[in-house]
Amino acid sequence: MTERTMNGGPMSEHRDNSAPASPLEAGLVDELRRFAAHETVLIALDFDGTLAPEVDVPDEARALPAAVGQLAALQQSPGVTIAFVSGRSLGSLDVVVPSSVTAAMIGSHGLELRIAPGDEVPAVDAADRARVEALHSALAPLVDAVEGAWIEHKPAGFAVHTRVVATDAAGALQTAVREAAAALDAALTVRDGKNVVEFAVRDATKGDGLRALRARLQPDAVLFAGDDVTDEDALAVLEPGDLGIKVGEASTVAPWRVSSPQQLVLALAAIAEARQRA
Ligand SMILES: [Mg+2]
């Protein structure tokens, strides 16, 4: 089995909604204007911690109003496509993204892709779905036998949750489901989290999702901005002429950085202004 550590969760250090953003560095403003001058551009953005300040209840996350305003202005410009690229499922993204912005969506770290409403690339094919069902049939009786344990369905698999299970029983169940899964399907991706073990028949990254979106839309240039470890996969697939921006202080492959979602708004505003002037 492939072992992965779960990351990209909703917790991080960005919490201050009110701090005024300091101006962008001059070199980044120049890069944003260069980017804005392309005829067709894809502006692909992580959501949590990038457009929306981090919150404790994932469904309560909302993009900064100023960011929504800039995205609404940008989508009026012909040739601009906006995309949200998230670890959230598409269903979870639908709860939190602004309804006033029409965006392509990459969900579940690249597993799910919605180019436009009604134009979705399925996360799994029929063969993969059969693997998920076989695994579910094998593990469900083990989970059902433990008080408080439950199964969450995911786009390419499912997660076994043990948060409200007694510690000893939780450990025993996690061991049992891992062993049963390994015996049934050696090609599974298994992710361990806190009180959860997740099984998936397909693995993807935000980089895979961004590549698929680029292949479909064929923009002249791509901007990607994100704050988390999983965003590095998307930043890593940017090409010459694209623009990668890290949000926050963490280490990154991105050539440019903003300090916060508030400062990212200034970057979006610079693109919108440049396109309005053109
Ligand atoms: Mg994020």
Side-chain angles (χ1 to χ4, degrees):
M1 291 194 208
T2 314
E3 296 284 338
R4 282 287 186 96
T5 306
M6 237 184 266
N7 56 20
M11 309 301 289
S12 105
E13 69 277 20
H14 309 303
R15 286 186 170 271
D16 191 347
N17 286 354
S18 57
S22 47
L24 300 173
E25 58 180 305
L28 175 54
V29 174
D30 291 344
E31 278 297 294
L32 290 161
R33 288 180 181 148
R34 179 197 57 75
F35 172 79
H38 288 97
E39 191 172 335
T40 59
V41 294
L42 169 62
I43 298 173
L45 305 165
D46 170 49
F47 186 77
D48 296 277
T50 295
L51 285 173
E54 300 282 355
V55 293
D56 290 332
V57 180
D59 277 359
E60 291 178 0
R62 292 295 180 272
L64 291 172
V68 177
Q70 293 301 337
L71 293 175
L74 280 164
Q75 72 180 358
Q76 300 302 314
S77 172
V80 172
T81 302
I82 293 159
F84 299 125
V85 183
S86 182
R88 292 174 181 261
S89 66
L90 291 184
S92 172
L93 272 175
D94 285 336
V95 172
V96 296
V97 299
S99 55
S100 56
V101 177
T102 305
M105 291 196 209
I106 295 170
S108 301
H109 294 115
L111 268 179
E112 298 178 289
L113 181 56
R114 185 191 296 153
I115 311 292
D119 182 4
E120 287 189 18
V121 179
V124 293
D125 60 17
D128 282 342
R129 209 168 305 120
R131 288 172 64 202
V132 174
E133 280 162 20
L135 188 64
H136 189 271
S137 300
L139 302 194
L142 301 172
V143 177
D144 289 347
V146 176
E147 172 104 33
W150 62 283
I151 288 176
E152 176 192 6
H153 289 266
K154 298 273 191 172
F158 53 88
V160 175
H161 289 268
T162 56
R163 194 176 66 79
V164 295
V165 177
T167 310
D168 288 356
L173 177 60
Q174 290 204 1
T175 301
V177 293
R178 293 170 65 95
E179 287 176 359
L184 188 73
D185 192 333
L188 288 171
T189 296
V190 182
R191 284 189 174 89
D192 285 310
K194 204 178 167 197
N195 304 311
V196 60
V197 53
E198 190 173 324
F199 302 95
V201 297
R202 267 197 50 203
D203 200 16
T205 69
K206 288 188 176 186
D208 298 322
L210 191 56
R211 263 204 214 105
L213 195 55
R214 186 202 294 271
R216 281 290 296 268
L217 298 174
Q218 306 264 321
D220 295 331
V222 176
L223 178 151
F224 181 83
D227 70 307
D228 214 333
V229 181
T230 54
D231 295 313
E232 294 298 310
D233 295 319
L235 290 165
V237 301
L238 293 180
E239 298 175 0
D242 292 342
L243 180 47
I245 301 176
K246 182 73 169 186
V247 180
E249 302 305 316
S251 67
T252 183
V253 298
W256 299 98
R257 196 185 284 276
V258 296
S259 60
S260 62
Q262 287 77 8
Q263 209 183 24
L264 183 67
V265 172
L266 302 182
L268 297 175
I271 301 169
E273 197 186 308
R275 287 188 82 88
Q276 276 157 15
R277 236 187 292 118

